[in-house]
Amino acid sequence: MKESKLVTLFYTIFFVIFICSIIFSCINEIDAGFLEEKYSEALQAYSRKDFNLVLDLCNQITYYTQNNFEAELLKAKSFFFLGKNEECLKTIKKLQRKFPNFTEATIWYIRILILLQENDTAKQILDKQIRLNRSDWRIYYLYSLLAEQTENYE
């Protein structure tokens, strides 16, 4: 009798897991369209400089997926333009850890470091980036910002 109950329990659990996987796979398909729509709205709000709306929309996106690096970067840029530099730095650092080869995030990370006068860290990252990205003019621009801030033009 115990074996029969265990078998029934096993099949019940298997059935519940199977049904849940079907439901969640359908939800993910719906979410893809929803996420694209929200990101498009966020880009439009960003172009209108409605940074608070951008943050709200990006938070909706990142609620459903933790791997949307475009939304995370847009969120960080919005923090930057709202003058919320610590939140910007936190978001950029998180983005850097998750996507270390995302050059755009690295550029913004260096930019916020220079703004916060974390010059040594900014210089270290710039030195690494110049070896990897010699053709990216933004690296040279950031070097010039750092030189101006530290008054070291050599």
Side-chain angles (χ1 to χ4, degrees):
M1 196 65 172
K2 278 187 173 183
E3 289 177 7
S4 174
K5 287 183 180 182
L6 285 175
V7 170
T8 304
L9 179 64
F10 173 76
Y11 283 118
T12 303
I13 291 171
F14 177 77
F15 180 74
V16 168
I17 291 172
F18 177 72
I19 295 297
C20 287
S21 68
I22 290 172
I23 291 170
F24 285 119
S25 68
C26 291
I27 288 172
N28 286 338
E29 289 178 20
I30 293 169
D31 284 349
F34 170 80
L35 296 175
E36 288 175 15
E37 182 182 319
K38 290 298 175 186
Y39 185 67
S40 177
E41 289 177 36
L43 286 174
Q44 291 171 10
Y46 184 80
S47 69
R48 292 189 314 267
K49 299 180 181 180
D50 188 351
F51 301 118
N52 287 314
L53 179 58
V54 172
L55 291 174
D56 182 48
L57 292 166
C58 287
N59 284 333
Q60 290 178 42
I61 294 167
T62 56
Y63 175 79
Y64 289 101
T65 178
Q66 299 298 315
N67 294 322
N68 192 316
F69 59 92
E70 293 98 344
E72 288 288 337
L73 181 61
L74 201 55
K75 189 175 172 180
K77 288 179 179 182
S78 295
F79 281 136
F80 178 82
F81 289 117
L82 287 170
K84 298 179 177 183
N85 297 328
E86 292 302 321
E87 289 92 343
C88 177
L89 185 60
K90 179 181 171 187
T91 305
I92 288 287
K93 279 183 176 181
K94 179 180 168 187
L95 193 54
Q96 280 293 124
R97 279 192 302 274
K98 288 167 78 173
F99 304 100
N101 297 324
F102 185 28
T103 304
E104 190 72 20
T106 303
I107 297 295
W108 276 88
Y109 182 45
I110 297 166
R111 188 175 184 182
I112 196 69
L113 287 173
I114 292 171
L115 183 68
L116 296 175
Q117 297 183 351
E118 294 186 25
N119 300 328
D120 292 338
T121 306
K123 174 115 173 58
Q124 289 172 352
I125 297 170
L126 277 169
D127 289 345
K128 180 180 176 184
Q129 286 302 308
I130 198 69
R131 288 190 300 272
L132 300 172
N133 262 331
R134 289 194 182 276
S135 62
D136 193 337
W137 63 269
R138 297 171 298 177
I139 302 296
Y140 297 101
Y141 172 72
L142 290 170
Y143 262 120
S144 69
L145 288 179
L146 183 62
E148 182 180 35
Q149 182 163 302
T150 60
E151 296 180 3
N152 180 4
Y153 298 101
E154 293 181 25

